[in-house]
Amino acid sequence: MQNKQKFVNDPVNVVPEMLEGLVLANPDTLEWVPEFNIIHVKGGADSARVAVIQGSGSGHEPAHVMAVGKGMLDAAVPGNVFAAPSMDQCLACIRLMNGPGGVVYIVNNYQGDRMNWDMAQEMAEMEGVKVGRVLIDDDVSVQDSSYTTGRRGVAGNFFAIKAMGAASQRGASLEELVAMGEKVNANVRSMGVSLSGCRPPAKDEPIFTLADGEMEFGVGIHGEPGRARLATKPADEIMADVFALVAGDLPLKQGDRVAVMVNGLGGTPIGELYLLYRKAAMLCAESGFEIVRNYVGEYCTALEMNGFSLTLLRLDAELEELLAAPAEVPIRVF
Amino acid sequence: MQNKQKFVNDPVNVVPEMLEGLVLANPDTLEWVPEFNIIHVKGGADSARVAVIQGSGSGHEPAHVMAVGKGMLDAAVPGNVFAAPSMDQCLACIRLMNGPGGVVYIVNNYQGDRMNWDMAQEMAEMEGVKVGRVLIDDDVSVQDSSYTTGRRGVAGNFFAIKAMGAASQRGASLEELVAMGEKVNANVRSMGVSLSGCRPPAKDEPIFTLADGEMEFGVGIHGEPGRARLATKPADEIMADVFALVAGDLPLKQGDRVAVMVNGLGGTPIGELYLLYRKAAMLCAESGFEIVRNYVGEYCTALEMNGFSLTLLRLDAELEELLAAPAEVPIRVF
Amino acid sequence: MQTVTFEKVEKALVAIRDTALANEQYFCELDGVSGDGDFGTSLATGWREIAAKWDDLDRTSIGHLLLAHAQVIASKVGGCSGPIWGTAFMRAGMVARDKTSLSPEDIEVMFEKAIEGIKTRGGAEEGDKTLLDALAPMSRTFSATKAGDAVLHACLQTAEEAVESAMALQARRGRQSFTGERSIGSKDPGMVAIALMTRNIAIALSGHE
Amino acid sequence: MQTVTFEKVEKALVAIRDTALANEQYFCELDGVSGDGDFGTSLATGWREIAAKWDDLDRTSIGHLLLAHAQVIASKVGGCSGPIWGTAFMRAGMVARDKTSLSPEDIEVMFEKAIEGIKTRGGAEEGDKTLLDALAPMSRTFSATKAGDAVLHACLQTAEEAVESAMALQARRGRQSFTGERSIGSKDPGMVAIALMTRNIAIALSGHE
Ligand SMILES: Nc1ncnc2c1ncn2[C@@H]1O[C@H](COP(=O)(O)OP(=O)(O)O)[C@@H](O)[C@H]1O
Ligand SMILES: Nc1ncnc2c1ncn2[C@@H]1O[C@H](COP(=O)(O)OP(=O)(O)O)[C@@H](O)[C@H]1O
Ligand SMILES: [Mg+2]
Ligand SMILES: [Mg+2]
Ligand SMILES: [Mg+2]
Ligand SMILES: [Mg+2]
């Protein structure tokens, strides 16, 4: 049975109808290929540049279809809600965005995403296309999970997109882009916490439910279990726990320059995200980590889940420059 | 009792801690006056311009503290969650942002907001300050409501801020700014629908609850009742009903040029907002209204409420130019 | 009524202040019947601040003293009461800006201006079951009896009768109005405060009448 | 075993196809015990597409025919099965790219490459209760018996025994693994499909052995 507390029509059409809305809202900058649900920058592949593309399940918006734009992704190819894009979608996207220098895709470490992309890559390579791959696995909360072997790829993904998108604009080669993505992945860590479940449009039931006073510590971006189901506590204490695990995993050391992201998982008011950022900024100051850039808002969501994730990225001069480069996304804020 | 499913510390400190996070995240552009919870552009009043300010309850973020920036608001002074700022907060903000040409405030038509601002205006005028006022009442859903006499002021407010902020940058006088704000208000209409209640941090109970399959048609931005409690239905049909009421109230006529905003009330995934925008764009096309600019995302929320509002603004050449003028807001999207 | 001296005005203000301070709980209970139960706290918070600053209040004129009250009330009193009471004191204060004593005609105008201010500020009219339903008849009684000696007593009687007769009304302003018909049959806390303050003013000034 | 002709390969592919088409419901039921019940639909959807395109499939070589299968399977089969089966056909197809008949050694390498591909793609190892637990022992049986005439029969026996003995295992890959210990005691749908396809290939080719 359909979830009635959603602004959708037939749940089967959620993704195409969302994409149609997106291109209707951005007629000058985006194009949509309905057959494969590909969103790409207007005009398609740029023969002077190596395109950067991504595809994963829907329900994480603005990731990744709303990260398509100049200096960000050249294309995104979403699957259904919380389902990997199929092999032929990935292959079609590779073919479409391929240029003389090849094409690079970014994939989060989820089994379904990886299998379909790897397969598409092999197929494309058999056709003579040069394909680069960047795997993101920034989530420190669990080693193996419902949908992964190894760590999950979550909001840290944004920084790979931003850095690689900027590098592509500067004419980076396929190898340079892959190296850049791998550098981001080696230096980025994330972890999430939720205070509610989430409910895909086609499902009658939430993926999980939390009683009043419970939180899922280390939740995944589909509502998969994390480290533990714990009692809720003040926001500052939650942030302190998450911060210690994320910073400790890299590990960051005094004097490191960092980018800090407090990402909303969909149902958390932006006011609470800033309240959480306040504590993260204080913890950085105490630890001697210098915040060079910060990001507070929704970057990678899990439908309407009430939760947040913290992402820390260790910077070097090159990354700082790429993060500061101009970029365009289809979300208008003023 | 405190609501435990929130990322907050002591509910009493929600607003100051959010504001502290906001200025920590924007040290180069924003300043905070803790005594009165005023957020203003760095450096304060600009003696060459008439400042545009706003204050209302918190819990509607990004409205209005995250709309402070060059070409937008010069300052915002928020009350507690869903409570008007007090008279002395408003008065302090007027005094602080006053310049040789005076200062203009925007107030949404809620009784508490109006009384405190009007009072502050009289006090300031007794001190010799020239104060302009723009009242926003764009919500077509109800004539009188729990908190208002006349129509409520909701997301349409954004367009007054944007147009007046841009006009102020161009050196508009107090009288010109007031006229501009009144022009926006005369040409803007909104209406909201929700599929869930919302729950202030200091409250144990949601402001209202909806059963599965119910929606509040015409909801206010504090969860106040609207026109009717109805059965949910497909998103396109909900949008069609809202669109007819909003466009019909102006009324818009064939050939009109418009700005369209699909605003999330806090807990609605952005994917659904684009799905709703798709239908709004189609309805505009059918009705012969030309969409010049569109806005899809969160502009004026009601904490974590699952809902949206539609705002239509009838444009003329002057408004089009002001909406297109550059502006800076403290929310970084890339 | 004769000319009202600065001293008498101060005594009246002390009576108002002490009424607010002494009845915090009672006014809250009245507000709790169909409102949000904060009215007593709202008033007491404001007048505690006035009491703390008492000696330093601007006494250049009666008007300035009233304006100093207005400033504190508007800043420190919460709910609807802050802007409404603040406005009343401010409008009355404007009339008396340059005065160190008040004629009955001055007081008549101050009454009218305060009522006008409350109406503008809160959008209420007589019959909406707010303190206007006490102030407006009092103002009419004052105008009718201002020449006589029993004016204060007449005003008090009007206020107390108003409290009783307004019980039958349904509140249409402030939080009381949110509970709809539940407000019918109960006393309006704002009106009770006005009547009690008037009584205490009458007691305080009775030696001088 | 002798050289396998193009004709025999086609017969084997028809047997695989028809097994997928004939057992949609049965495979779904098997998957429903501890998985999400879509395995039969996944396979049937893919092979319905293959059947529809049957006459137009690229027959330049055995390898091209297998690669044509791989393309359709990877595109049209959902769940884990699409990429896994697609990879198996692709890797086997690469070995046979230029061949119009297969030696036992060719088939041995194709087996090995397909298994290697499945491992790379899905990250599973033997013992994780997936179709690898049928394919890997079959591949060893094939290598050991490829010189003899009973090779197909020996492979079939290995597969069917593997299905039985793997029942005791707990699934560690795919959706079956989500239900944890609930998978113990049931047959793995992927392994059953492999065994049934082998049986139908043996029947189809028995006239020629
Ligand atoms: N709009 C109004 N105009 C005049 N008086 C009002 C108005 N609203 C409320 N009041 C008066 O204020 C009293 C309640 O005060 P208070 O508890 O401070 O307000 P709130 O309704 O905000 O809780 C009521 O008893 C009534 O006499
Ligand atoms: N990672 C894997 N590697 C190899 N085979 C797998 C893997 N995961 C599942 N399988 C096989 O696939 C079968 C289930 O297929 P299917 O229902 O399409 O997958 P899903 O788990 O996505 O629902 C299982 O019975 C098992 O034999
Ligand atoms: Mg009250
Ligand atoms: Mg109150
Ligand atoms: Mg399955
Ligand atoms: Mg499946």
Side-chain angles (χ1 to χ4, degrees):
Chain A
M1 199 186 88
Q2 182 176 348
N3 172 357
K4 294 200 161 165
Q5 302 313 93
K6 291 258 163 200
F7 294 107
V8 299
N9 299 300
D10 186 334
V12 166
N13 297 325
V14 164
V15 174
E17 288 178 356
M18 162 181 83
L19 299 182
E20 189 175 4
L22 185 62
V23 291
L24 281 169
N26 297 277
D28 301 336
T29 50
L30 296 184
E31 283 178 79
W32 175 38
V33 183
E35 192 188 349
F36 297 105
N37 273 346
I38 296 169
I39 293 286
H40 63 82
V41 289
K42 188 127 189 170
D46 172 349
S47 64
R49 278 193 311 109
V50 177
V52 179
I53 64 178
Q54 166 122 33
S56 61
S58 290
H60 306 299
E61 291 71 29
H64 299 285
V65 289
M66 296 161 202
V68 176
K70 198 172 169 199
M72 296 285 287
L73 289 176
D74 291 286
V77 53
N80 273 323
V81 174
F82 291 175
S86 67
M87 195 289 300
D88 54 334
Q89 285 184 276
C90 300
L91 183 57
C93 191
I94 289 174
R95 284 181 182 143
L96 188 69
M97 303 311 291
N98 181 37
V103 55
V104 178
Y105 71 91
I106 304 174
V107 61
N108 285 350
N109 189 31
Y110 281 95
Q111 193 176 18
D113 292 316
R114 279 188 64 168
M115 289 204 303
N116 285 296
W117 275 109
D118 286 355
M119 185 81 202
Q121 173 171 3
E122 277 190 44
M123 292 259 179
E125 282 168 349
M126 278 169 42
E127 293 171 8
V129 179
K130 206 172 143 193
V131 183
R133 183 184 93 145
V134 170
L135 183 75
I136 303 295
D137 60 349
D138 55 320
D139 186 346
V140 304
S141 61
V142 283
Q143 264 304 327
D144 294 310
S145 74
S146 319
Y147 305 119
T148 50
T149 312
R151 298 204 306 217
R152 300 178 291 216
V154 292
N157 180 285
F158 170 86
F159 293 107
I161 294 173
K162 180 67 185 75
M164 292 167 69
S168 168
Q169 293 293 329
R170 294 172 183 201
S173 69
L174 181 143
E175 291 74 19
E176 288 165 341
L177 288 174
V178 170
M180 177 57 58
E182 286 172 351
K183 179 160 95 176
V184 169
N185 193 49
N187 288 285
V188 72
R189 297 290 187 280
S190 303
M191 184 164 164
V193 175
S194 78
L195 300 177
S196 83
C198 61
R199 210 171 145 188
K203 289 238 164 95
D204 191 24
E205 292 286 297
I207 285 190
F208 68 101
T209 49
L210 289 169
D212 247 35
E214 280 185 346
M215 68 175 172
E216 183 67 38
F217 188 68
V219 73
I221 53 172
H222 311 88
E224 318 92 276
R227 294 201 169 196
R229 182 81 48 107
L230 302 174
T232 55
K233 50 184 182 175
D236 284 0
E237 294 175 28
I238 298 174
M239 177 54 89
D241 291 347
V242 170
F243 189 91
L245 290 167
V246 173
D249 194 276
L250 272 165
L252 287 176
K253 55 179 201 311
Q254 203 177 344
D256 276 345
R257 292 167 67 83
V258 294
V260 178
M261 173 186 284
V262 176
N263 169 56
L265 290 178
T268 305
I270 193 167
E272 291 177 37
L273 300 181
Y274 275 99
L275 186 149
L276 287 162
Y277 177 76
R278 166 185 165 278
K279 182 65 180 177
M282 288 172 168
L283 290 165
C284 279
E286 282 168 27
S287 315
F289 312 151
E290 190 181 340
I291 301 179
V292 180
R293 292 180 77 83
N294 66 76
Y295 302 79
V296 184
E298 291 179 357
Y299 292 85
C300 185
T301 63
L303 294 169
E304 74 289 350
M305 191 186 285
N306 178 9
F308 79 95
S309 63
L310 171 73
T311 298
L312 297 175
L313 170 67
R314 180 166 43 208
L315 296 170
D316 62 12
E318 187 186 37
L319 282 175
E320 281 185 37
E321 208 186 307
L322 292 171
L323 291 188
E328 286 164 19
V329 287
I331 304 166
R332 190 195 300 284
V333 286
F334 56 82
Chain B
M1 201 187 84
Q2 180 176 349
N3 172 357
K4 294 199 160 166
Q5 303 312 96
K6 291 257 165 204
F7 295 106
V8 300
N9 300 300
D10 186 336
V12 166
N13 298 323
V14 164
V15 174
E17 289 179 357
M18 164 181 84
L19 299 182
E20 190 175 4
L22 185 63
V23 291
L24 282 169
N26 297 277
D28 302 334
T29 51
L30 295 184
E31 282 178 81
W32 174 39
V33 183
E35 191 188 348
F36 297 106
N37 274 345
I38 296 170
I39 293 286
H40 64 80
V41 288
K42 188 126 189 168
D46 174 347
S47 64
R49 278 193 309 111
V50 176
V52 179
I53 64 179
Q54 166 122 34
S56 62
S58 290
H60 305 300
E61 291 71 29
H64 299 286
V65 288
M66 296 162 201
V68 176
K70 196 171 170 202
M72 298 284 288
L73 289 176
D74 290 286
V77 54
N80 273 324
V81 174
F82 291 175
S86 67
M87 193 290 297
D88 52 336
Q89 286 184 278
C90 300
L91 183 57
C93 192
I94 288 174
R95 285 178 181 145
L96 189 69
M97 302 311 292
N98 181 37
V103 55
V104 178
Y105 71 90
I106 304 174
V107 62
N108 285 349
N109 189 31
Y110 280 96
Q111 194 177 18
D113 293 317
R114 278 187 65 167
M115 289 203 304
N116 285 298
W117 274 109
D118 286 356
M119 185 81 202
Q121 173 171 3
E122 277 189 43
M123 293 259 175
E125 283 168 348
M126 276 167 45
E127 294 170 8
V129 179
K130 204 173 144 194
V131 183
R133 183 184 94 144
V134 170
L135 183 76
I136 303 294
D137 60 350
D138 55 320
D139 187 346
V140 304
S141 59
V142 282
Q143 264 303 326
D144 294 312
S145 75
S146 321
Y147 304 121
T148 50
T149 311
R151 298 203 305 217
R152 301 177 291 217
V154 291
N157 180 285
F158 170 87
F159 293 107
I161 294 174
K162 180 66 186 75
M164 292 166 70
S168 167
Q169 292 294 330
R170 294 175 183 200
S173 68
L174 183 143
E175 290 73 17
E176 286 164 342
L177 288 174
V178 170
M180 177 58 58
E182 287 173 349
K183 179 159 95 177
V184 170
N185 192 50
N187 287 285
V188 73
R189 296 293 186 279
S190 302
M191 182 165 168
V193 176
S194 79
L195 300 177
S196 83
C198 61
R199 210 171 145 189
K203 290 238 164 100
D204 191 25
E205 293 286 294
I207 286 191
F208 68 101
T209 49
L210 290 169
D212 246 37
E214 279 185 349
M215 66 176 176
E216 184 67 39
F217 188 69
V219 73
I221 55 172
H222 310 89
E224 318 92 277
R227 293 203 169 193
R229 182 81 47 107
L230 302 174
T232 55
K233 49 184 183 173
D236 284 359
E237 293 175 30
I238 297 174
M239 177 53 89
D241 290 349
V242 170
F243 188 92
L245 289 167
V246 173
D249 194 276
L250 271 164
L252 287 176
K253 58 179 200 309
Q254 204 178 342
D256 277 345
R257 292 166 69 82
V258 294
V260 177
M261 174 186 282
V262 176
N263 168 56
L265 291 178
T268 305
I270 193 169
E272 290 176 37
L273 299 181
Y274 275 98
L275 187 149
L276 286 161
Y277 177 75
R278 166 184 163 276
K279 183 65 181 179
M282 287 173 168
L283 290 165
C284 280
E286 281 167 29
S287 315
F289 311 150
E290 190 180 342
I291 302 178
V292 179
R293 292 180 77 83
N294 65 76
Y295 302 78
V296 183
E298 290 178 357
Y299 293 85
C300 185
T301 62
L303 294 170
E304 74 290 349
M305 190 186 286
N306 178 10
F308 78 95
S309 63
L310 172 73
T311 298
L312 297 175
L313 169 67
R314 180 168 39 207
L315 297 170
D316 62 12
E318 187 186 37
L319 282 175
E320 280 184 39
E321 209 185 307
L322 293 171
L323 291 189
E328 285 165 19
V329 287
I331 303 167
R332 189 196 299 286
V333 286
F334 57 82
Chain C
M1 187 186 237
Q2 300 152 8
T3 296
V4 178
T5 61
F6 204 120
E7 196 200 339
K8 283 192 184 176
V9 171
E10 273 210 60
K11 285 209 168 149
L13 289 171
V14 169
I16 289 174
R17 180 191 77 189
D18 293 344
T19 310
L21 293 177
N23 293 282
E24 176 164 359
Q25 207 186 331
Y26 174 48
F27 291 159
C28 279
E29 275 164 23
L30 285 175
D31 190 24
V33 176
S34 60
D36 59 347
D38 65 345
F39 178 62
T41 309
S42 294
L43 287 193
T45 307
W47 264 277
R48 264 193 291 273
E49 180 83 6
I50 287 173
K53 296 186 170 168
W54 190 257
D55 291 334
D56 300 327
L57 294 176
D58 183 351
R59 283 177 172 77
T60 328
S61 69
I62 292 174
H64 278 94
L65 185 53
L66 292 173
L67 290 171
H69 271 71
Q71 174 91 46
V72 176
I73 292 165
S75 300
K76 299 297 167 206
V77 177
C80 281
S81 296
I84 284 169
W85 290 65
T87 301
F89 276 84
M90 185 167 70
R91 294 291 165 91
M94 295 294 279
V95 176
R97 210 165 186 178
D98 311 312
K99 303 190 192 287
T100 48
S101 70
L102 301 173
S103 69
E105 287 69 28
D106 290 333
I107 298 179
E108 186 173 19
V109 179
M110 287 164 73
F111 245 128
E112 283 164 10
K113 291 288 175 193
I115 289 168
E116 196 185 295
I118 292 172
K119 285 183 179 171
T120 317
R121 189 68 73 233
E125 290 296 333
E126 273 191 75
D128 287 350
K129 197 172 186 174
T130 70
L131 40 74
L132 275 176
D133 290 322
L135 286 176
M138 274 170 76
S139 149
R140 287 192 290 268
T141 300
F142 185 90
S143 297
T145 60
K146 64 175 190 281
D149 268 353
V151 52
L152 241 175
H153 185 74
C155 284
L156 173 59
Q157 202 175 327
T158 301
E160 292 185 339
E161 281 168 15
V163 169
E164 298 299 322
S165 64
M167 284 178 72
L169 297 177
Q170 178 174 337
R172 273 197 291 270
R173 294 284 151 186
R175 304 255 158 186
Q176 324 273 339
S177 66
F178 293 10
T179 56
E181 303 196 341
R182 230 178 70 193
S183 63
I184 295 175
S186 63
K187 290 182 179 170
D188 177 66
M191 290 178 74
V192 173
I194 296 293
L196 218 50
M197 286 170 175
T198 309
R199 169 168 289 273
N200 289 333
I201 291 172
I203 293 167
L205 302 188
S206 58
H208 306 265
E209 270 295 280
Chain D
M1 187 185 237
Q2 300 152 8
T3 298
V4 178
T5 61
F6 204 119
E7 194 201 339
K8 282 191 185 177
V9 171
E10 274 211 57
K11 283 205 170 152
L13 289 171
V14 168
I16 289 174
R17 179 192 79 190
D18 293 345
T19 309
L21 294 177
N23 292 282
E24 176 164 359
Q25 205 186 332
Y26 174 48
F27 291 158
C28 280
E29 275 165 21
L30 285 175
D31 189 25
V33 175
S34 60
D36 59 348
D38 65 346
F39 178 61
T41 310
S42 295
L43 287 192
T45 307
W47 264 277
R48 263 194 289 275
E49 179 83 4
I50 287 174
K53 295 186 171 170
W54 190 256
D55 292 333
D56 300 327
L57 295 175
D58 183 349
R59 283 177 172 80
T60 328
S61 69
I62 292 174
H64 278 94
L65 185 54
L66 292 172
L67 289 172
H69 272 70
Q71 175 91 47
V72 175
I73 292 166
S75 302
K76 300 296 166 205
V77 177
C80 282
S81 297
I84 284 169
W85 291 65
T87 301
F89 275 85
M90 186 166 68
R91 294 293 166 90
M94 295 295 277
V95 176
R97 208 162 188 179
D98 310 312
K99 299 186 196 291
T100 47
S101 70
L102 302 173
S103 69
E105 287 69 28
D106 290 335
I107 298 179
E108 187 173 17
V109 179
M110 287 163 72
F111 245 128
E112 285 164 11
K113 291 288 175 192
I115 288 167
E116 197 186 296
I118 291 171
K119 286 182 177 173
T120 316
R121 189 66 74 234
E125 290 297 330
E126 272 190 76
D128 287 351
K129 198 171 183 173
T130 70
L131 41 74
L132 275 176
D133 290 323
L135 287 177
M138 274 170 75
S139 149
R140 288 191 289 270
T141 300
F142 186 88
S143 296
T145 60
K146 66 176 188 280
D149 268 355
V151 52
L152 241 175
H153 185 75
C155 286
L156 173 59
Q157 204 175 330
T158 302
E160 292 186 337
E161 281 167 17
V163 169
E164 297 300 321
S165 63
M167 285 177 72
L169 297 177
Q170 178 175 336
R172 275 197 291 269
R173 294 284 151 184
R175 304 255 157 187
Q176 325 272 338
S177 67
F178 293 11
T179 56
E181 303 195 342
R182 228 177 72 193
S183 62
I184 294 174
S186 63
K187 289 183 180 173
D188 177 66
M191 291 177 73
V192 173
I194 297 293
L196 217 51
M197 285 170 176
T198 310
R199 170 169 288 275
N200 288 332
I201 292 171
I203 292 167
L205 301 189
S206 56
H208 305 267
E209 274 290 284

